[in-house]
Amino acid sequence: MSTPGTGTGTAGTGIRLHANAPGWALDADVVVVGSGVAGLTAALRCAAAGRRTVVVTKARLDDGSTRWAQGGIAAALGEGDTPEQHLDDTLVAGAGLCDEAAVRLLVTEGPDAVRRLMATGAVFDTSEETGEIELTREGGHHRRRIAHAGGDATGAEISRALVEAVQRAGIRTVENALVLDLLQDAEGRTAGVTLHVMGEGQHDGVGAVHAPAVILATGGMGQVFSATTNPSVSTGDGVALALRAGAEVSDLEFVQFHPTVLFLGPDAEGQQPLVSEAVRGEGAYLVDADGVRFMQGQHELAELAPRDIVAKGIMRRMQEQGAQHMYLDARHFGARMWEQRFPTILAACRSHGIDPVTEPIPVAPAAHYASGGVRTDLHGSTTVPGLYACGEVACTGVHGANRLASNSLLEGLVFAERIAADIAGGAPAGSGPGIPVPATGPLQPAEARYEVQRIMTDGAGVLRSAESLRTAAAALEDLYAKALTALETDGKTAVPGVETWEATNLLCVARVLVAAALRREETRGCHWREDHPDRDDAAWRRHLVVRLSATERRALVVTPTDSAGFPSVQHPLSQEQSS
């Protein structure tokens, strides 16, 4: 068993996606992968520091997960609120697995980071009487500290402001581009990325951006489940790329299922409409079909308990009553409040034949946010030299076992700035050529995407057990083994293209998630094991760090840490780089 944090000392794992050699290339100092709050903030700060910066994004610049964020961004901006109180709420939500140093950075640097975001052009809702930023509450917060914009369109406003700033700065962007793999030199240092621009050139055409620093800001992996609040582009590409490059990931078992997602039927698939926690923050009630408020008595904050507790409360009530969903009742808001405070949610509900002004909203939990991801230090560095990660793709230690509501936008903002400062603090480096690596892992056929989603929804959803997880692990391994056998015996694999690359990435992150969830024999945060219903600090107040074996292509190396703290991010090049 290896020690987490030591890296492999090689040019990745010797695994990459089957794809053509790059037919074109760009040169840069920094390539940012992703265009949400984390990616665009990092790009703006790097460019301002004089670094030649290229942004690569999978859809349009404004089409990532950030624009779907309804509730807002959390920071101690209000009178009487302090970073220390924000820290306390975050640590409680994280269920004993937050890195306190990372959380302290988040809450102390967060208020000024939000003010810089406002200076960039983001406009938050303000009080008509005082002109001060309006703040609301969400689950797990003991104070009103959530800044919002457009009522319930905070993400859209932040995305608008950052996209316009990037365009004003003249930063080069490559849209509709799926990043495939990390380029590395002979010592394993980052040398750029390979990518495919969708809708241009060949179906399997590939290009490259050569750069000594790569910032992953690719968002989440919600599409690994059948029903999610994530957009269709959230297929775990960043985590899969990092694993193939030899990086460590952690805490992938902690998938947050948002408690209140609009219930569209038991067979609903793909991106589902979110009903923001801010609706409960403004006084909506969770009720069953008889109108009973079942969260009262389960937690001091009732409907505003941390998300894992509310999701579990909903699931328990559904089990008790044999129901497929519960209800969110906000009829007492009245039409005016719905129209002014929650216009996006109101429109989404009405488009599905539900009027929240006159009837309760049917809701059920759905996959929402990955608390884990690519493991980083406090400067966003991963265990691969030159590779950084921020936002949902990263595991900074801030979220622990369960993200506190509206901390995600703040984390992306704060750690993007820290990454840019780290890059700006070093001398610009020329990137050496990437060393070609043979593609040794098989591609999955496009239809495997839906098979992975079915397996994960059945076996690794809100409720988990050893039996369900073993069944899921076996089914996922069977998908991989069949494709590997075909490759090794007949030299055949699926045809390279966006659909097969995405399916392969989804299978990769699903295998890691299930392996970690099966290993963690307790219930903690948003990881709920029916066969181990209690939290076990003595055995499990620690993280699970996962990497791909450098010698066995199918092997996942799962290593528990010695304590709740992460080992430092180190690699064999650290000493050389600091000398």
Side-chain angles (χ1 to χ4, degrees):
M1 182 177 294
S2 61
T3 301
T6 57
T8 63
T10 66
T13 61
I15 300 174
R16 68 168 175 83
L17 293 172
H18 280 265
N20 292 332
W24 56 269
L26 302 175
D27 289 321
D29 297 322
V30 183
V31 56
V32 178
V33 187
S35 60
V37 62
L40 295 187
T41 298
L44 285 166
R45 300 294 182 267
C46 286
R51 299 296 187 263
R52 294 175 302 155
T53 303
V54 173
V55 175
V56 176
T57 187
K58 197 172 177 183
R60 298 189 308 274
L61 274 183
D62 63 350
D63 231 4
S65 293
T66 290
R67 78 180 182 94
W68 297 100
Q70 295 174 342
I73 185 167
L77 297 166
E79 184 177 353
D81 196 7
T82 65
E84 199 69 26
Q85 293 176 71
H86 190 182
L87 179 141
D88 290 343
D89 286 345
T90 301
L91 294 180
V92 169
L97 281 186
C98 294
D99 182 302
E100 186 168 341
V103 177
R104 194 169 293 281
L105 283 176
L106 179 83
V107 300
T108 55
E109 296 182 8
D112 282 344
V114 172
R115 294 183 185 102
R116 285 189 290 273
L117 178 63
M118 294 168 62
T120 302
V123 179
F124 291 97
D125 295 337
T126 56
S127 166
E128 293 181 0
E129 291 80 20
T130 67
E132 298 293 321
I133 294 177
E134 282 189 335
L135 301 171
T136 188
R137 278 183 68 194
E138 292 185 359
H141 293 272
H142 282 79
R143 284 192 172 271
R144 298 178 79 88
R145 66 167 64 97
I146 316 300
H148 50 84
D152 58 357
T154 311
E157 170 58 17
I158 290 174
S159 181
R160 178 204 63 77
L162 290 173
V163 168
E164 289 183 4
V166 164
Q167 291 170 339
R168 285 195 306 270
I171 296 172
R172 184 161 191 171
T173 61
V174 183
E175 295 182 292
N176 301 306
L178 170 62
V179 167
L180 304 178
D181 280 302
L182 191 72
L183 291 169
Q184 293 169 274
D185 66 17
E187 279 81 38
R189 294 184 181 89
T190 293
V193 294
T194 56
L195 65 155
H196 167 76
V197 180
M198 294 173 271
E200 294 185 12
Q202 297 176 326
H203 174 79
D204 56 357
V206 175
V209 181
H210 298 295
V214 171
I215 303 173
L216 294 179
T218 53
M221 53 186 194
Q223 290 291 325
V224 79
F225 295 96
S226 297
T228 177
T229 62
N230 288 194
S232 61
V233 294
S234 297
T235 51
D237 307 320
V239 170
L241 174 152
L243 280 165
R244 288 192 296 270
E248 295 177 349
V249 304
S250 188
D251 296 356
L252 247 61
E253 67 270 34
F254 297 117
V255 177
Q256 187 176 86
F257 288 79
H258 198 288
T260 54
V261 175
L262 184 63
F263 181 75
L264 300 180
D267 299 321
E269 295 181 342
Q271 186 178 9
Q272 309 293 301
L274 176 67
V275 181
S276 170
E277 201 152 288
V279 177
R280 281 174 280 139
E282 295 292 353
Y285 309 130
L286 279 168
V287 298
D288 60 20
D290 297 321
V292 176
R293 288 183 63 185
F294 55 88
M295 283 305 299
Q296 288 185 315
Q298 293 198 38
H299 190 276
E300 59 166 332
L301 296 176
E303 284 91 354
L304 283 177
R307 288 179 179 176
D308 62 308
I309 294 171
V310 179
K312 290 170 188 174
I314 292 173
M315 293 298 296
R316 286 195 187 100
R317 196 67 158 193
M318 287 165 56
Q319 288 179 322
E320 291 169 3
Q321 299 187 343
Q324 294 181 324
H325 61 82
M326 289 289 109
Y327 292 93
L328 188 64
D329 192 350
R331 290 174 290 181
H332 52 285
F333 284 5
R336 179 179 172 82
M337 181 173 175
W338 268 110
E339 290 164 1
Q340 292 187 347
R341 180 67 179 85
F342 300 111
T344 307
I345 298 170
L346 178 64
C349 289
R350 284 177 170 171
S351 72
H352 290 284
I354 299 155
D355 189 351
V357 177
T358 60
E359 60 186 315
I361 306 168
V363 293
H368 181 56
Y369 189 88
S371 294
V374 185
R375 194 168 77 81
T376 75
D377 66 10
L378 299 181
H379 299 284
S381 292
T382 74
T383 51
V384 173
L387 179 65
Y388 296 83
C390 56
E392 190 173 354
V393 71
C395 182
T396 62
V398 159
H399 304 308
N402 182 42
R403 174 179 68 94
L404 180 66
S406 286
N407 268 357
S408 52
L409 291 176
L410 190 70
E411 183 201 30
L413 191 62
V414 167
F415 281 86
E417 291 190 339
R418 294 186 67 81
I419 288 171
D422 193 64
I423 292 173
S431 58
I435 304 300
V437 175
T440 53
L443 286 180
Q444 293 294 315
E447 58 269 21
R449 175 181 185 133
Y450 306 103
E451 185 65 11
V452 168
Q453 290 172 336
R454 182 195 62 77
I455 292 167
M456 294 298 289
T457 299
D458 290 345
V462 180
L463 302 178
R464 302 167 176 174
S465 67
E467 181 180 1
S468 75
L469 290 166
R470 287 194 188 105
T471 299
L476 294 171
E477 194 62 27
D478 187 55
L479 283 178
Y480 186 90
K482 285 180 178 177
L484 183 66
T485 299
L487 177 64
E488 293 182 335
T489 59
D490 302 323
K492 293 182 179 179
T493 191
V495 176
V498 174
E499 297 83 2
T500 56
W501 289 322
E502 285 186 332
T504 302
N505 286 339
L506 282 171
L507 178 59
C508 175
V509 296
R511 291 176 65 222
V512 175
L513 193 162
V514 169
L518 186 56
R519 185 79 170 264
R520 183 174 290 279
E521 295 180 333
E522 65 160 353
T523 290
R524 180 186 299 271
C526 48
H527 171 65
W528 187 5
R529 285 282 297 263
E530 293 182 284
D531 52 336
H532 295 281
D534 299 318
R535 173 171 154 175
D536 184 356
D537 278 352
W540 287 109
R541 192 163 180 241
R542 63 194 69 231
H543 302 272
L544 291 171
V545 177
V546 185
R547 63 177 177 83
L548 290 182
S549 169
T551 55
E552 300 174 63
R553 285 167 289 159
R554 287 195 292 167
L556 298 174
V557 181
V558 184
T559 308
T561 60
D562 294 330
S563 68
F566 273 129
S568 60
V569 170
Q570 298 176 350
H571 45 72
L573 298 174
S574 297
Q575 185 66 36
E576 176 187 337
Q577 289 177 329
S578 62
S579 62

